[in-house]
Amino acid sequence: MSKSDSELEFETLLDYLKQNCSYDLSGYKEGTLMRRVQYRMQQLEIENYRKYLQYLQNNSDECVSLFNTILINYSGFFRDRDSWDYLANNIIPQIITRKQPHERIRVWSAGCASGQEVYTLLMLLAEAVGIEQCLQRVQVFATDIDEDALAEARQASYSDKEVANIPSDLLSKYFEQTQQRYVFHSKLRRTIIFGVHDLAKNAPMSKIDLVVCRNVLIYFKPQTQEKTLVRFHFGLCDNGFLFLGNSEGLTNNKYIFTPVSLKHRIFAKGQNLTLQDHLLLRPRTDTKKAVNPLTTQIQMWKAAFLASPLAQLALDRSGRLLLANEQANTLFNLNISHIGAQVEDLEIARLINPSTSINLVDRDWAKPSAVRRSRTADSDNSHSSLDPKHIEWVTDNHTTYLDIYTTLISDESGKVLGTNLTFIDVTRNILLEDEIERLNSALVKVTQELKETKEVLHTTTQQFDSTQKELESVHQEMQFRINL
């Protein structure tokens, strides 16, 4: 069935937004997009998509206005109160109980809009663990694709009408009233990391205990919903929970989440991801009539990189972090906000200690630095500095020993693009070596003691023989005298 002129014009409009405004709306439901674009066209009294495209081309600021119209950033404190009560009484206590007293509680408000839901969540966590413990243990990630909405969320300032659904005791405890506005607790705000994030494209946060994503998926196509749910699963820890909006459900990927409360749209992390699921973690190229074999290879390489049982990082020539798989995220406490950062600014610099003034081609930055301690002797490091061994990675909880292998990444012409780092956990080997060394030391000690015991026994035997001979001599002398 051929497409109408209006549909073709709409596709041209979306392509323009993608190519010139960096707004890829292909993951959103077409009907919803059309209604929102038409609403904006009515405001401008423009009758069709072709004329609106011309208007966009002649008015650079219109892209932002259209985007704000498409993204309906409606939110509210304690929206669907029963669901929030269930979360506070049944889910948050489970998260706290499963954590050690020193462990972080990590939550992610995905599609946080102007911040009402993320501050609702933070109030519930503070009520559960106390404000002081919340400041020390809770880490909140608040993300949205709309930068203007994030700017409002960071301000944490709300009108009388906006805070009307907050219980009076919580309002007085967590908000300060200033000139008919209510501003959220300034210290608690420091536990929140705000960031621009596109759920349809960007990698998820990692080691998350609770994902709150309410009334966002309903705007996505089923395929985009599926990809987003896979990303949520990937980012959640094994005992993690997902909290959706009351009008949202799961797509075909039900097996990766199990219902905790369908009424309140709360789910627990379910079965492990398959290889096909892992392929959904990275954005796919637009569908083409002819499949590019190189594109397929790249997708497979990315999937293999992300699914590798070994911790791996990919850096560009200047030392910026390009990719990190799940093992590396867990080992080095990395998340999406670290992608693009200079490695020397991250905690992992204790291991590889890069310098922006050193070209990665030289691989000098891979040498063991004074900041870390290697179990191998300095003389050994002198000839194995490119792949340092037995490097200590010390965290608050434990010490891990790693062998680091570096591989230069080049294009077909041989030009170096960056570096791949692979970290092999050799802690068990180190512990076994230590145990063998301890046993050898004990064996040497026992051998020495045995030798000394033998020597004492030999001396004692000689003394006994000498005494025996003396006794025999005395006995003979006495017999001689008796016979006389």
Side-chain angles (χ1 to χ4, degrees), residues 319-320 338 340-350 353-354 356:
R320 288 195 300 267
H338 297 128
Q342 288 287 339
V343 180
E344 64 180 356
D345 297 330
L346 303 177
E347 189 178 0
I348 194 177
R350 290 193 286 119
N353 195 29
T356 52

Side-chain angles (χ1 to χ4, degrees), residues 68-135:
N68 289 335
T69 302
I70 291 173
L71 298 177
I72 307 174
N73 290 310
Y74 174 74
S75 185
F77 291 99
F78 293 96
R79 185 182 179 189
D80 304 319
R81 181 60 186 266
D82 289 346
S83 297
W84 284 102
D85 287 343
Y86 184 88
L87 185 79
N89 297 326
N90 297 275
I91 304 303
I92 290 178
Q94 288 188 55
I95 294 173
I96 296 171
T97 301
R98 292 169 180 173
K99 293 285 186 179
Q100 296 297 322
H102 63 275
E103 283 188 290
R104 283 267 190 176
I105 299 171
R106 295 162 61 88
V107 297
W108 178 16
S109 176
C112 67
S114 50
Q116 287 90 334
E117 286 191 351
V118 71
Y119 293 120
T120 299
L121 179 60
L122 192 51
M123 281 189 282
L124 296 184
L125 289 165
E127 286 296 290
V129 299
I131 291 179
E132 289 304 317
Q133 278 291 301
C134 189
L135 290 170

